[in-house]
Amino acid sequence: MLTNRVIGAFTFRKGIYSEVEQDTSFTSTAWLLVAVVAFLSQLGANSAGSPGIGKWLLGSVIGTVFAVLGFALAAFIISWVGSSVFNAQTNFEEMVRTLGLAYVWNIIGFIGVLALLSPTLVCLLSPVTLLGALLGFIAWLIAIKEALDLDWVQTIITLVIGLVVNIIISILAGVVLGIFGLSAAGLFGLFGG
């Protein structure tokens, strides 16, 4: 059943997101899909110019945590915007199920591990990952439309508002973490670590 749903997401099968929206047993599977796909995608993203296997894996694990948190934030914001602004009948778990299935498109990022074979492959892989990101964006639009039952203009507005808020929060979190990271690095150097 999961395989059919993943294939349905990759082939843009009509009604697949409405199906998982109603299936409350799919919530934990959606979270698992997001975590696994995020990890594989991070392995690909962190492989180019990786200084060593330990740092590559650690960077991938940390990137996965932030990707899952970003996903949760996006699902929350999109469900909030849809229900608050457009009076859509939805909740956070429904958005997790639908967007979690659409998240499978992020698996395309895993092909970045091919850069381990040769750094020049990054130039060849970039258009493929860009196309995968575009198709993933389309999958999110379809998932949001089916979950919120909105027209296309409202769906696009909901996604854009959700992405803008998510980007702003991500930038703020990055600044805070960057300041903390610089402070920790300075203290580490100060004490001869």
Side-chain angles (χ1 to χ4, degrees):
M1 183 150 184
L2 176 61
T3 306
N4 290 336
R5 287 177 168 172
V6 170
I7 291 170
F10 278 123
T11 58
F12 298 105
R13 189 174 79 222
K14 184 164 178 55
I16 191 68
Y17 298 110
S18 294
E19 177 184 316
V20 297
E21 175 191 10
Q22 302 304 316
D23 184 0
T24 57
S25 68
F26 190 72
T27 305
S28 58
T29 305
W31 281 114
L32 183 63
L33 269 175
V34 169
V36 169
V37 168
F39 180 69
L40 292 173
S41 181
Q42 289 297 314
L43 283 175
N46 292 320
S47 63
S50 182
I53 192 159
K55 289 184 179 181
W56 175 46
L57 289 175
L58 180 62
S60 297
V61 169
I62 291 169
T64 300
V65 170
F66 280 103
V68 171
L69 290 174
F71 170 83
L73 179 63
F76 174 77
I77 291 168
I78 289 168
S79 66
W80 179 80
V81 169
S83 60
S84 298
V85 177
F86 297 113
N87 297 322
Q89 298 300 312
T90 191
N91 61 45
F92 175 71
E93 286 189 0
E94 290 174 352
M95 291 312 300
V96 165
R97 291 191 294 270
T98 56
L99 294 178
L101 184 59
Y103 199 85
V104 297
W105 276 98
N106 288 17
I107 195 73
I108 301 295
F110 182 70
I111 66 170
V113 297
L114 296 176
L116 292 172
L117 301 174
S118 171
T120 57
L121 284 176
V122 172
C123 295
L124 298 174
L125 298 175
S126 293
V128 175
T129 55
L130 179 63
L131 178 62
L134 177 63
L135 292 171
F137 181 79
I138 292 168
W140 269 47
L141 275 173
I142 294 169
I144 292 168
K145 180 167 179 15
E146 288 192 25
L148 299 178
D149 299 316
L150 301 174
D151 64 39
W152 280 109
V153 173
Q154 293 171 327
T155 299
I156 292 168
I157 291 170
T158 301
L159 180 57
V160 169
I161 291 171
L163 289 176
V164 167
V165 171
N166 198 8
I167 288 169
I168 290 169
I169 292 172
S170 296
I171 290 170
L172 292 174
V175 168
V176 170
L177 290 173
I179 290 170
F180 176 73
L182 290 175
S183 299
L187 289 174
F188 189 67
L190 180 67
F191 293 110

